[in-house]
Amino acid sequence: MRTVVLDAGALIALERRDTRMLALATDLVVARVAAHLPAGVLAQVWRGSPRQHAVMKLVRTGALRVEPLSEEIAVRLGLLLAASGTSDVVDAHVALLARKLRATVITSDPHDLHKLDPTLGVVVI
């Protein structure tokens, strides 16, 4: 399985029991491969709802690796936002992480990510 980074739309699709996201989640667990999740994405969607059980299960099993926002990364995000003329810090973290890992982004909104980095590989969910 290829390295993937999830954005908020991917987690929302998982909450809604989207069949493609459920299959991806199963593949991650079976293959023992971790998807990457910027911490801000988790903060954006987490509300403690019972519907989010699948999300937390993936985090706790290690199938989702929550990536922190350090000072160094924050500075790099700011530079990326300035260069792209955009302002969404969480989207910038998704794009920066995907670029660093040469990963595919699982997203519901490829347009905002492509404003940050038009070379990103995305799968629309």
Side-chain angles (χ1 to χ4, degrees):
M1 168 175 277
R2 184 168 162 80
T3 303
V4 295
V5 174
L6 305 183
D7 79 352
L11 293 186
I12 291 167
L14 184 60
E15 290 173 22
R16 292 180 178 163
R17 306 294 190 248
D18 177 274
T19 55
R20 293 170 299 166
M21 275 307 300
L22 289 172
L24 175 66
T26 299
D27 289 348
L28 291 169
V29 172
V30 169
R32 294 185 178 175
V33 173
H36 298 267
L37 183 70
V41 170
L42 185 58
Q44 249 183 349
V45 301
W46 189 255
R47 299 298 179 266
S49 163
R51 293 183 322 162
Q52 295 179 311
H53 171 75
V55 173
M56 193 48 65
K57 180 179 177 183
L58 287 178
V59 170
R60 291 198 174 130
T61 63
L64 279 181
R65 181 174 296 145
V66 179
E67 303 288 347
L69 178 58
S70 67
E71 178 182 346
E72 175 189 345
I73 293 170
V75 169
R76 293 177 63 204
L77 295 178
L79 293 173
L80 178 57
L81 291 169
S84 64
T86 62
S87 61
D88 190 317
V89 172
V90 175
D91 280 351
H93 198 181
V94 169
L96 188 72
L97 185 59
R99 183 189 301 164
K100 174 185 167 192
L101 299 171
R102 295 184 179 136
T104 299
V105 179
I106 310 298
T107 182
S108 61
D109 190 5
H111 304 293
D112 286 347
L113 293 172
H114 279 145
K115 288 178 191 174
L116 291 155
D117 185 343
T119 67
L120 286 178
V122 298
V123 172
V124 179
I125 197 83

